[in-house]
Amino acid sequence: MDLTGKWVWITGASSGIGKALAIAYAKTGCNLLLSARNKAKLDEVKALCASAGQVQILPLDLSDISSSISLAKPVLKDIGPIHTLINNAGISQRALVKDTDLSVVRSIMEINYFAVVELTKLVLPDMVKAGEGQFIAMSSLVGKFGSPLRSTYAASKHALHGFYDSLRAEHHKDNIQVLLVCPGFIKTDISINAVTGAGAKQNKMDDKQAQGMSPDALAQQVLRAVRQHKEEVVIGGTERFGVLVKRLFPRIFSRIIRNTKVT
Ligand SMILES: NC(=O)c1ccc[n+]([C@@H]2O[C@H](COP(=O)([O-])OP(=O)(O)OC[C@H]3O[C@@H](n4cnc5c(N)ncnc54)[C@H](OP(=O)(O)O)[C@@H]3O)[C@@H](O)[C@H]2O)c1
């Protein structure tokens, strides 16, 4: 995998998994374009990516996708084709179906799904022209099965699989690769930033998150999956066996998931 001089665009690069991916990708010698809302944090991450070729930050609020596209277009015109787009930005949910406002459902889908589609469509034509490219989508274990308190989050991650499995089939002939990453519990601020049914920040570190895998370890596994040309990778602790149980014994899985502590 030689990414020297090629552009890797990472969304959600200001913290957690995106930050760890930026630091790990920098060591490949690629150029980095780093996006998120928090400019000050993006600058801090940029400073940690000294081994990259070039590093640019592009602050974006993906809940306003049309403004984000307008901001991104001139930057992309200036730097040239993106080789790898890592659609990592996302927000989670901590609320039952019955308690989640429809406006919250839509805002989670906006960031976790529609923004991903829009950014993908933005860079795809130049990837096709260049004859190479890769999309990496940060799905989740709940992109493989549903879980209490995460109905919309799970739906948004399931949607990524349908979208990107289709894109992979359409663009195999163009040498475009797709990797769906399905992490279990990773120790980041995701549960603190997760939204309640009314759309407020949960502001609480869940026990499962606090005990999770480090984002740096996850980033190393993502790079390994890229080198091995994997299409999908499940990363985490014992919780990842849920995927297998769901596939082989779906009724048993249903019993387990309704009785498991998921926060
Ligand atoms: N941690 C886990 O256990 C876990 C498990 C499975 C999947 N994931 C997925 O991994 C990805 C990264 O999450 P994380 O765990 O690293 O959580 P995190 O620390 O909360 O990071 C989320 C990132 O998304 C960005 N973001 C959120 N809303 C945004 C918006 N409206 N516009 C632009 N950027 C936005 C945040 O940056 P700003 O606040 O600066 O905008 C931040 O960089 C997410 O897609 C998440 O669903 C995480």
Side-chain angles (χ1 to χ4, degrees):
M1 182 181 69
D2 185 8
L3 288 172
T4 315
K6 294 182 177 163
W7 281 96
V8 175
W9 185 8
I10 305 176
T11 68
S14 62
S15 74
I17 292 173
K19 175 180 176 180
L21 283 170
I23 293 166
Y25 264 87
K27 295 189 180 121
T28 71
C30 68
N31 299 328
L32 284 170
L33 182 61
L34 305 177
S35 290
R37 287 166 302 183
N38 190 320
K39 183 179 176 304
K41 282 194 183 174
L42 286 175
D43 278 326
E44 282 171 29
V45 175
K46 179 178 174 177
L48 298 171
C49 295
S51 42
Q54 302 173 51
V55 188
Q56 279 202 34
I57 65 162
L58 171 56
L60 297 175
D61 182 352
L62 293 172
S63 66
D64 181 356
I65 191 63
S66 54
S67 300
S68 296
I69 297 287
S70 303
L71 288 167
K73 271 186 179 166
V75 174
L76 299 186
K77 200 170 166 208
D78 184 41
I79 66 177
I82 297 293
H83 178 278
T84 302
L85 171 60
I86 307 184
N87 270 308
N88 165 74
I91 50 167
S92 193
Q93 171 194 19
R94 294 294 183 272
L96 300 172
V97 172
K98 70 179 177 63
D99 299 328
T100 306
D101 291 351
L102 200 59
S103 61
V104 175
V105 171
R106 288 186 188 279
S107 69
I108 294 172
M109 290 304 287
E110 206 58 61
I111 296 164
N112 291 9
Y113 179 64
F114 288 111
V116 170
V117 173
E118 294 249 18
L119 296 189
T120 299
K121 284 170 69 66
L122 181 65
V123 302
L124 181 61
D126 281 344
M127 279 189 188
V128 171
K129 248 186 250 161
E132 63 172 358
Q134 176 155 48
F135 293 100
I136 300 179
M138 203 52 63
S139 175
S140 166
L141 276 192
V142 298
K144 305 295 286 178
F145 52 75
S147 147
L149 301 174
R150 293 172 177 66
S151 54
T152 303
Y153 180 66
S156 72
K157 297 300 188 183
H158 274 70
L160 294 179
H161 288 256
F163 176 73
Y164 272 124
D165 284 346
S166 302
L167 186 141
R168 185 192 293 114
E170 290 176 10
H171 287 285
H172 175 79
K173 63 180 185 327
D174 300 313
N175 193 27
I176 289 172
Q177 300 186 40
V178 173
L179 170 64
L180 284 144
V181 180
C182 307
F185 294 109
I186 311 299
K187 193 176 176 184
T188 69
D189 288 349
I190 189 91
S191 69
I192 294 172
N193 295 326
V195 291
T196 65
K201 250 170 97 162
Q202 176 184 235
N203 262 327
K204 171 179 165 280
M205 174 64 85
D206 288 348
D207 294 343
K208 294 281 189 181
Q209 232 67 57
Q211 295 154 10
M213 175 188 263
S214 82
D216 295 327
L218 175 134
Q220 290 310 319
Q221 292 202 35
V222 171
L223 276 169
R224 192 181 318 143
V226 169
R227 280 188 217 104
Q228 295 173 344
H229 303 282
K230 289 206 169 161
E231 296 188 346
E232 193 170 294
V233 63
V234 177
I235 301 173
T238 51
E239 70 276 11
R240 69 192 195 283
F241 295 114
V243 176
L244 208 57
V245 179
K246 162 80 176 170
R247 191 185 310 147
L248 299 176
F249 311 107
R251 304 265 312 188
I252 294 176
F253 179 80
S254 290
R255 237 181 290 146
I256 294 173
I257 197 72
R258 64 178 172 249
N259 294 312
T260 300
K261 177 174 158 47
V262 291
T263 59

PDB file of all heavy atoms in Angstrom, residues 226-253:
ATOM      1  N   VAL A 226      -6.939  -2.574   5.394  1.00  0.00           N
ATOM      2  CA  VAL A 226      -6.716  -1.894   4.098  1.00  0.00           C
ATOM      3  C   VAL A 226      -5.625  -2.636   3.327  1.00  0.00           C
ATOM      4  O   VAL A 226      -5.777  -2.934   2.138  1.00  0.00           O
ATOM      5  CB  VAL A 226      -6.328  -0.409   4.324  1.00  0.00           C
ATOM      6  CG1 VAL A 226      -5.838   0.229   3.023  1.00  0.00           C
ATOM      7  CG2 VAL A 226      -7.512   0.369   4.884  1.00  0.00           C
ATOM      8  N   ARG A 227      -4.527  -2.949   4.022  1.00  0.00           N
ATOM      9  CA  ARG A 227      -3.420  -3.664   3.340  1.00  0.00           C
ATOM     10  C   ARG A 227      -3.877  -5.007   2.812  1.00  0.00           C
ATOM     11  O   ARG A 227      -3.423  -5.475   1.777  1.00  0.00           O
ATOM     12  CB  ARG A 227      -2.256  -3.884   4.323  1.00  0.00           C
ATOM     13  CG  ARG A 227      -1.399  -2.646   4.475  1.00  0.00           C
ATOM     14  CD  ARG A 227      -0.145  -2.948   5.295  1.00  0.00           C
ATOM     15  NE  ARG A 227       0.153  -1.806   6.144  1.00  0.00           N
ATOM     16  CZ  ARG A 227      -0.070  -1.731   7.445  1.00  0.00           C
ATOM     17  NH1 ARG A 227      -0.545  -2.772   8.106  1.00  0.00           N
ATOM     18  NH2 ARG A 227       0.204  -0.638   8.106  1.00  0.00           N
ATOM     19  N   GLN A 228      -4.804  -5.649   3.533  1.00  0.00           N
ATOM     20  CA  GLN A 228      -5.281  -6.985   3.123  1.00  0.00           C
ATOM     21  C   GLN A 228      -6.470  -6.903   2.166  1.00  0.00           C
ATOM     22  O   GLN A 228      -7.083  -7.913   1.853  1.00  0.00           O
ATOM     23  CB  GLN A 228      -5.666  -7.793   4.369  1.00  0.00           C
ATOM     24  CG  GLN A 228      -4.477  -8.086   5.273  1.00  0.00           C
ATOM     25  CD  GLN A 228      -4.872  -8.747   6.594  1.00  0.00           C
ATOM     26  OE1 GLN A 228      -6.037  -8.730   6.986  1.00  0.00           O
ATOM     27  NE2 GLN A 228      -3.887  -9.318   7.276  1.00  0.00           N
ATOM     28  N   HIS A 229      -6.806  -5.697   1.719  1.00  0.00           N
ATOM     29  CA  HIS A 229      -7.930  -5.487   0.771  1.00  0.00           C
ATOM     30  C   HIS A 229      -9.226  -6.099   1.293  1.00  0.00           C
ATOM     31  O   HIS A 229     -10.010  -6.660   0.526  1.00  0.00           O
ATOM     32  CB  HIS A 229      -7.601  -6.058  -0.622  1.00  0.00           C
ATOM     33  CG  HIS A 229      -6.356  -5.481  -1.203  1.00  0.00           C
ATOM     34  ND1 HIS A 229      -6.307  -4.221  -1.777  1.00  0.00           N
ATOM     35  CD2 HIS A 229      -5.096  -5.971  -1.283  1.00  0.00           C
ATOM     36  CE1 HIS A 229      -5.084  -3.967  -2.171  1.00  0.00           C
ATOM     37  NE2 HIS A 229      -4.321  -5.010  -1.888  1.00  0.00           N
ATOM     38  N   LYS A 230      -9.466  -5.993   2.596  1.00  0.00           N
ATOM     39  CA  LYS A 230     -10.714  -6.544   3.149  1.00  0.00           C
ATOM     40  C   LYS A 230     -11.903  -5.663   2.746  1.00  0.00           C
ATOM     41  O   LYS A 230     -11.748  -4.460   2.514  1.00  0.00           O
ATOM     42  CB  LYS A 230     -10.619  -6.625   4.671  1.00  0.00           C
ATOM     43  CG  LYS A 230      -9.657  -7.710   5.118  1.00  0.00           C
ATOM     44  CD  LYS A 230     -10.001  -8.208   6.487  1.00  0.00           C
ATOM     45  CE  LYS A 230      -9.189  -9.456   6.786  1.00  0.00           C
ATOM     46  NZ  LYS A 230      -9.106  -9.773   8.175  1.00  0.00           N
ATOM     47  N   GLU A 231     -13.068  -6.263   2.695  1.00  0.00           N
ATOM     48  CA  GLU A 231     -14.295  -5.514   2.366  1.00  0.00           C
ATOM     49  C   GLU A 231     -15.042  -5.111   3.633  1.00  0.00           C
ATOM     50  O   GLU A 231     -15.802  -4.149   3.635  1.00  0.00           O
ATOM     51  CB  GLU A 231     -15.209  -6.372   1.477  1.00  0.00           C
ATOM     52  CG  GLU A 231     -14.547  -6.676   0.132  1.00  0.00           C
ATOM     53  CD  GLU A 231     -15.476  -7.358  -0.849  1.00  0.00           C
ATOM     54  OE1 GLU A 231     -16.551  -7.841  -0.439  1.00  0.00           O
ATOM     55  OE2 GLU A 231     -15.115  -7.412  -2.031  1.00  0.00           O
ATOM     56  N   GLU A 232     -14.848  -5.868   4.692  1.00  0.00           N
ATOM     57  CA  GLU A 232     -15.543  -5.585   5.952  1.00  0.00           C
ATOM     58  C   GLU A 232     -14.679  -6.117   7.089  1.00  0.00           C
ATOM     59  O   GLU A 232     -14.052  -7.175   6.940  1.00  0.00           O
ATOM     60  CB  GLU A 232     -16.901  -6.292   5.943  1.00  0.00           C
ATOM     61  CG  GLU A 232     -17.827  -5.832   7.030  1.00  0.00           C
ATOM     62  CD  GLU A 232     -19.252  -6.379   6.846  1.00  0.00           C
ATOM     63  OE1 GLU A 232     -19.913  -6.016   5.878  1.00  0.00           O
ATOM     64  OE2 GLU A 232     -19.655  -7.182   7.692  1.00  0.00           O
ATOM     65  N   VAL A 233     -14.644  -5.394   8.197  1.00  0.00           N
ATOM     66  CA  VAL A 233     -13.873  -5.888   9.338  1.00  0.00           C
ATOM     67  C   VAL A 233     -14.617  -5.538  10.634  1.00  0.00           C
ATOM     68  O   VAL A 233     -15.169  -4.449  10.770  1.00  0.00           O
ATOM     69  CB  VAL A 233     -12.424  -5.312   9.302  1.00  0.00           C
ATOM     70  CG1 VAL A 233     -12.399  -3.801   9.428  1.00  0.00           C
ATOM     71  CG2 VAL A 233     -11.554  -5.927  10.371  1.00  0.00           C
ATOM     72  N   VAL A 234     -14.664  -6.524  11.525  1.00  0.00           N
ATOM     73  CA  VAL A 234     -15.314  -6.339  12.829  1.00  0.00           C
ATOM     74  C   VAL A 234     -14.194  -6.234  13.864  1.00  0.00           C
ATOM     75  O   VAL A 234     -13.335  -7.112  13.936  1.00  0.00           O
ATOM     76  CB  VAL A 234     -16.247  -7.529  13.143  1.00  0.00           C
ATOM     77  CG1 VAL A 234     -16.860  -7.383  14.528  1.00  0.00           C
ATOM     78  CG2 VAL A 234     -17.352  -7.635  12.094  1.00  0.00           C
ATOM     79  N   ILE A 235     -14.207  -5.150  14.652  1.00  0.00           N
ATOM     80  CA  ILE A 235     -13.080  -4.882  15.563  1.00  0.00           C
ATOM     81  C   ILE A 235     -13.626  -4.604  16.967  1.00  0.00           C
ATOM     82  O   ILE A 235     -14.593  -3.852  17.118  1.00  0.00           O
ATOM     83  CB  ILE A 235     -12.265  -3.647  15.086  1.00  0.00           C
ATOM     84  CG1 ILE A 235     -11.725  -3.867  13.666  1.00  0.00           C
ATOM     85  CG2 ILE A 235     -11.120  -3.347  16.051  1.00  0.00           C
ATOM     86  CD1 ILE A 235     -11.061  -2.638  13.048  1.00  0.00           C
ATOM     87  N   GLY A 236     -12.986  -5.193  17.977  1.00  0.00           N
ATOM     88  CA  GLY A 236     -13.415  -4.914  19.354  1.00  0.00           C
ATOM     89  C   GLY A 236     -13.064  -6.072  20.259  1.00  0.00           C
ATOM     90  O   GLY A 236     -12.186  -6.887  19.945  1.00  0.00           O
ATOM     91  N   GLY A 237     -13.766  -6.167  21.387  1.00  0.00           N
ATOM     92  CA  GLY A 237     -13.548  -7.252  22.342  1.00  0.00           C
ATOM     93  C   GLY A 237     -14.512  -8.393  22.072  1.00  0.00           C
ATOM     94  O   GLY A 237     -14.947  -8.609  20.932  1.00  0.00           O
ATOM     95  N   THR A 238     -14.919  -9.061  23.159  1.00  0.00           N
ATOM     96  CA  THR A 238     -15.779 -10.244  22.991  1.00  0.00           C
ATOM     97  C   THR A 238     -17.136  -9.898  22.375  1.00  0.00           C
ATOM     98  O   THR A 238     -17.786 -10.760  21.789  1.00  0.00           O
ATOM     99  CB  THR A 238     -16.020 -10.930  24.352  1.00  0.00           C
ATOM    100  OG1 THR A 238     -16.471  -9.920  25.264  1.00  0.00           O
ATOM    101  CG2 THR A 238     -14.759 -11.566  24.895  1.00  0.00           C
ATOM    102  N   GLU A 239     -17.538  -8.626  22.490  1.00  0.00           N
ATOM    103  CA  GLU A 239     -18.841  -8.223  21.927  1.00  0.00           C
ATOM    104  C   GLU A 239     -18.933  -8.511  20.422  1.00  0.00           C
ATOM    105  O   GLU A 239     -20.019  -8.667  19.883  1.00  0.00           O
ATOM    106  CB  GLU A 239     -19.136  -6.740  22.223  1.00  0.00           C
ATOM    107  CG  GLU A 239     -18.295  -5.693  21.496  1.00  0.00           C
ATOM    108  CD  GLU A 239     -16.962  -5.398  22.169  1.00  0.00           C
ATOM    109  OE1 GLU A 239     -16.562  -6.121  23.086  1.00  0.00           O
ATOM    110  OE2 GLU A 239     -16.301  -4.406  21.752  1.00  0.00           O
ATOM    111  N   ARG A 240     -17.768  -8.622  19.757  1.00  0.00           N
ATOM    112  CA  ARG A 240     -17.812  -8.823  18.306  1.00  0.00           C
ATOM    113  C   ARG A 240     -18.356 -10.213  17.937  1.00  0.00           C
ATOM    114  O   ARG A 240     -18.805 -10.421  16.812  1.00  0.00           O
ATOM    115  CB  ARG A 240     -16.459  -8.547  17.656  1.00  0.00           C
ATOM    116  CG  ARG A 240     -15.381  -9.535  17.962  1.00  0.00           C
ATOM    117  CD  ARG A 240     -14.025  -8.992  17.491  1.00  0.00           C
ATOM    118  NE  ARG A 240     -13.019 -10.035  17.440  1.00  0.00           N
ATOM    119  CZ  ARG A 240     -12.398 -10.528  18.497  1.00  0.00           C
ATOM    120  NH1 ARG A 240     -12.685 -10.069  19.717  1.00  0.00           N
ATOM    121  NH2 ARG A 240     -11.518 -11.495  18.362  1.00  0.00           N
ATOM    122  N   PHE A 241     -18.360 -11.157  18.898  1.00  0.00           N
ATOM    123  CA  PHE A 241     -18.913 -12.490  18.598  1.00  0.00           C
ATOM    124  C   PHE A 241     -20.427 -12.437  18.401  1.00  0.00           C
ATOM    125  O   PHE A 241     -21.023 -13.377  17.890  1.00  0.00           O
ATOM    126  CB  PHE A 241     -18.528 -13.498  19.689  1.00  0.00           C
ATOM    127  CG  PHE A 241     -17.041 -13.737  19.730  1.00  0.00           C
ATOM    128  CD1 PHE A 241     -16.277 -13.355  20.824  1.00  0.00           C
ATOM    129  CD2 PHE A 241     -16.392 -14.313  18.633  1.00  0.00           C
ATOM    130  CE1 PHE A 241     -14.903 -13.535  20.835  1.00  0.00           C
ATOM    131  CE2 PHE A 241     -15.006 -14.498  18.642  1.00  0.00           C
ATOM    132  CZ  PHE A 241     -14.263 -14.097  19.746  1.00  0.00           C
ATOM    133  N   GLY A 242     -21.027 -11.308  18.802  1.00  0.00           N
ATOM    134  CA  GLY A 242     -22.459 -11.110  18.574  1.00  0.00           C
ATOM    135  C   GLY A 242     -22.832 -11.257  17.097  1.00  0.00           C
ATOM    136  O   GLY A 242     -23.918 -11.745  16.762  1.00  0.00           O
ATOM    137  N   VAL A 243     -21.921 -10.842  16.211  1.00  0.00           N
ATOM    138  CA  VAL A 243     -22.200 -10.914  14.759  1.00  0.00           C
ATOM    139  C   VAL A 243     -22.400 -12.376  14.347  1.00  0.00           C
ATOM    140  O   VAL A 243     -23.326 -12.713  13.606  1.00  0.00           O
ATOM    141  CB  VAL A 243     -21.038 -10.281  13.957  1.00  0.00           C
ATOM    142  CG1 VAL A 243     -21.261 -10.422  12.455  1.00  0.00           C
ATOM    143  CG2 VAL A 243     -20.880  -8.807  14.328  1.00  0.00           C
ATOM    144  N   LEU A 244     -21.529 -13.230  14.875  1.00  0.00           N
ATOM    145  CA  LEU A 244     -21.597 -14.660  14.538  1.00  0.00           C
ATOM    146  C   LEU A 244     -22.849 -15.310  15.130  1.00  0.00           C
ATOM    147  O   LEU A 244     -23.557 -16.072  14.467  1.00  0.00           O
ATOM    148  CB  LEU A 244     -20.347 -15.334  15.111  1.00  0.00           C
ATOM    149  CG  LEU A 244     -19.827 -16.577  14.396  1.00  0.00           C
ATOM    150  CD1 LEU A 244     -19.527 -16.260  12.946  1.00  0.00           C
ATOM    151  CD2 LEU A 244     -18.575 -17.090  15.108  1.00  0.00           C
ATOM    152  N   VAL A 245     -23.136 -14.975  16.397  1.00  0.00           N
ATOM    153  CA  VAL A 245     -24.308 -15.559  17.066  1.00  0.00           C
ATOM    154  C   VAL A 245     -25.584 -15.123  16.341  1.00  0.00           C
ATOM    155  O   VAL A 245     -26.480 -15.927  16.095  1.00  0.00           O
ATOM    156  CB  VAL A 245     -24.364 -15.142  18.560  1.00  0.00           C
ATOM    157  CG1 VAL A 245     -25.589 -15.737  19.243  1.00  0.00           C
ATOM    158  CG2 VAL A 245     -23.095 -15.574  19.285  1.00  0.00           C
ATOM    159  N   LYS A 246     -25.636 -13.848  15.950  1.00  0.00           N
ATOM    160  CA  LYS A 246     -26.814 -13.326  15.234  1.00  0.00           C
ATOM    161  C   LYS A 246     -27.021 -14.101  13.912  1.00  0.00           C
ATOM    162  O   LYS A 246     -28.141 -14.427  13.540  1.00  0.00           O
ATOM    163  CB  LYS A 246     -26.622 -11.835  14.975  1.00  0.00           C
ATOM    164  CG  LYS A 246     -27.501 -11.213  13.911  1.00  0.00           C
ATOM    165  CD  LYS A 246     -28.887 -10.893  14.410  1.00  0.00           C
ATOM    166  CE  LYS A 246     -29.688 -10.174  13.336  1.00  0.00           C
ATOM    167  NZ  LYS A 246     -31.081 -10.059  13.664  1.00  0.00           N
ATOM    168  N   ARG A 247     -25.889 -14.372  13.221  1.00  0.00           N
ATOM    169  CA  ARG A 247     -25.997 -15.040  11.913  1.00  0.00           C
ATOM    170  C   ARG A 247     -26.404 -16.501  12.067  1.00  0.00           C
ATOM    171  O   ARG A 247     -27.268 -17.011  11.366  1.00  0.00           O
ATOM    172  CB  ARG A 247     -24.660 -14.942  11.169  1.00  0.00           C
ATOM    173  CG  ARG A 247     -24.785 -15.365   9.702  1.00  0.00           C
ATOM    174  CD  ARG A 247     -23.449 -15.398   8.989  1.00  0.00           C
ATOM    175  NE  ARG A 247     -22.673 -14.177   9.164  1.00  0.00           N
ATOM    176  CZ  ARG A 247     -21.345 -14.141   9.217  1.00  0.00           C
ATOM    177  NH1 ARG A 247     -20.632 -15.254   9.138  1.00  0.00           N
ATOM    178  NH2 ARG A 247     -20.706 -13.006   9.359  1.00  0.00           N
ATOM    179  N   LEU A 248     -25.795 -17.193  13.056  1.00  0.00           N
ATOM    180  CA  LEU A 248     -26.005 -18.641  13.174  1.00  0.00           C
ATOM    181  C   LEU A 248     -27.227 -18.992  14.017  1.00  0.00           C
ATOM    182  O   LEU A 248     -27.911 -19.976  13.747  1.00  0.00           O
ATOM    183  CB  LEU A 248     -24.753 -19.304  13.775  1.00  0.00           C
ATOM    184  CG  LEU A 248     -23.465 -19.148  12.959  1.00  0.00           C
ATOM    185  CD1 LEU A 248     -22.285 -19.761  13.695  1.00  0.00           C
ATOM    186  CD2 LEU A 248     -23.615 -19.780  11.578  1.00  0.00           C
ATOM    187  N   PHE A 249     -27.468 -18.195  15.070  1.00  0.00           N
ATOM    188  CA  PHE A 249     -28.557 -18.519  16.017  1.00  0.00           C
ATOM    189  C   PHE A 249     -29.386 -17.263  16.302  1.00  0.00           C
ATOM    190  O   PHE A 249     -29.350 -16.715  17.415  1.00  0.00           O
ATOM    191  CB  PHE A 249     -27.969 -19.058  17.332  1.00  0.00           C
ATOM    192  CG  PHE A 249     -26.942 -20.141  17.152  1.00  0.00           C
ATOM    193  CD1 PHE A 249     -25.590 -19.884  17.367  1.00  0.00           C
ATOM    194  CD2 PHE A 249     -27.315 -21.424  16.755  1.00  0.00           C
ATOM    195  CE1 PHE A 249     -24.631 -20.873  17.186  1.00  0.00           C
ATOM    196  CE2 PHE A 249     -26.364 -22.425  16.576  1.00  0.00           C
ATOM    197  CZ  PHE A 249     -25.020 -22.152  16.788  1.00  0.00           C
ATOM    198  N   PRO A 250     -30.134 -16.772  15.318  1.00  0.00           N
ATOM    199  CA  PRO A 250     -30.807 -15.474  15.484  1.00  0.00           C
ATOM    200  C   PRO A 250     -31.761 -15.406  16.671  1.00  0.00           C
ATOM    201  O   PRO A 250     -31.859 -14.363  17.326  1.00  0.00           O
ATOM    202  CB  PRO A 250     -31.543 -15.276  14.149  1.00  0.00           C
ATOM    203  CG  PRO A 250     -31.466 -16.569  13.423  1.00  0.00           C
ATOM    204  CD  PRO A 250     -30.332 -17.347  13.971  1.00  0.00           C
ATOM    205  N   ARG A 251     -32.467 -16.512  16.999  1.00  0.00           N
ATOM    206  CA  ARG A 251     -33.413 -16.464  18.128  1.00  0.00           C
ATOM    207  C   ARG A 251     -32.663 -16.364  19.456  1.00  0.00           C
ATOM    208  O   ARG A 251     -33.071 -15.639  20.359  1.00  0.00           O
ATOM    209  CB  ARG A 251     -34.310 -17.720  18.147  1.00  0.00           C
ATOM    210  CG  ARG A 251     -35.064 -17.961  16.862  1.00  0.00           C
ATOM    211  CD  ARG A 251     -36.432 -17.426  16.860  1.00  0.00           C
ATOM    212  NE  ARG A 251     -37.242 -17.742  18.013  1.00  0.00           N
ATOM    213  CZ  ARG A 251     -38.533 -17.464  18.070  1.00  0.00           C
ATOM    214  NH1 ARG A 251     -39.108 -16.885  17.040  1.00  0.00           N
ATOM    215  NH2 ARG A 251     -39.234 -17.741  19.131  1.00  0.00           N
ATOM    216  N   ILE A 252     -31.566 -17.079  19.545  1.00  0.00           N
ATOM    217  CA  ILE A 252     -30.754 -16.995  20.777  1.00  0.00           C
ATOM    218  C   ILE A 252     -30.194 -15.580  20.909  1.00  0.00           C
ATOM    219  O   ILE A 252     -30.191 -14.972  21.982  1.00  0.00           O
ATOM    220  CB  ILE A 252     -29.606 -18.038  20.753  1.00  0.00           C
ATOM    221  CG1 ILE A 252     -30.205 -19.441  20.808  1.00  0.00           C
ATOM    222  CG2 ILE A 252     -28.622 -17.803  21.890  1.00  0.00           C
ATOM    223  CD1 ILE A 252     -29.193 -20.561  20.706  1.00  0.00           C
ATOM    224  N   PHE A 253     -29.764 -15.032  19.759  1.00  0.00           N
ATOM    225  CA  PHE A 253     -29.211 -13.671  19.790  1.00  0.00           C
ATOM    226  C   PHE A 253     -30.261 -12.675  20.306  1.00  0.00           C
ATOM    227  O   PHE A 253     -29.944 -11.793  21.108  1.00  0.00           O
ATOM    228  CB  PHE A 253     -28.713 -13.241  18.406  1.00  0.00           C
ATOM    229  CG  PHE A 253     -28.163 -11.848  18.434  1.00  0.00           C
ATOM    230  CD1 PHE A 253     -26.883 -11.620  18.905  1.00  0.00           C
ATOM    231  CD2 PHE A 253     -28.935 -10.759  18.060  1.00  0.00           C
ATOM    232  CE1 PHE A 253     -26.379 -10.330  18.992  1.00  0.00           C
ATOM    233  CE2 PHE A 253     -28.447  -9.472  18.155  1.00  0.00           C
ATOM    234  CZ  PHE A 253     -27.169  -9.263  18.613  1.00  0.00           C
TER     235      PHE A 253
END
